[in-house]
Amino acid sequence: MPQIKSAMKRVKTIEKANKRNASQLSTMRSAIKKFKAAKTAGNEEAADLLKVATRAIDMASTKGLIHANKAGRDKSRLNKMMAK
C-alpha cells in the first residue's frame, strides 16, 4: 500500500476505472452473445440487437477498451452474419 497521499488516491481511482472498464467490456460481450443467439434462433429482433451490439463495440473502442481494428473486425463479422 502506498504511503504518499496522491498515490493512495490514485489506487482508488484505478480501482474505480478497472470496475467501470470490466463492466463495459462485459456489457459489450453480452450484447454480442444476445445478437448471435437471436440470429441462430431466427428471431426478428436480431436487427435491433445488431444495432445494440454495434453501439456497444463502438463505445468500447472509443474508450480504448478494445483496439480500433478489433472493433471494425467484430462489427464486420456481425454484419456478415446478419446478411446470411
Side-chain angles (χ1 to χ4, degrees):
M1 195 64 188
Q3 299 298 313
I4 300 169
K5 190 174 183 179
S6 62
M8 287 189 264
K9 288 180 184 178
R10 195 70 195 143
V11 167
K12 290 178 188 176
T13 306
I14 290 170
E15 285 175 357
K16 277 193 232 175
N18 285 343
K19 287 179 184 176
R20 189 180 327 113
N21 291 343
S23 173
Q24 193 168 3
L25 272 177
S26 177
T27 302
M28 181 192 76
R29 289 189 191 115
S30 296
I32 292 170
K33 285 178 189 174
K34 284 179 186 176
F35 166 73
K36 287 182 179 179
K39 184 62 182 164
T40 55
N43 287 350
E44 299 85 28
E45 63 183 20
D48 294 334
L49 290 174
L50 175 64
K51 283 184 182 180
V52 173
T54 302
R55 185 173 189 279
I57 291 169
D58 284 336
M59 286 177 62
S61 175
T62 302
K63 301 292 183 185
L65 301 179
I66 61 173
H67 195 275
N69 291 352
K70 177 176 169 40
R73 183 175 63 243
D74 287 351
K75 289 191 301 184
S76 175
R77 286 178 179 166
L78 294 179
N79 283 315
K80 191 175 182 181
M81 186 183 293
M82 185 66 187
K84 282 188 179 178

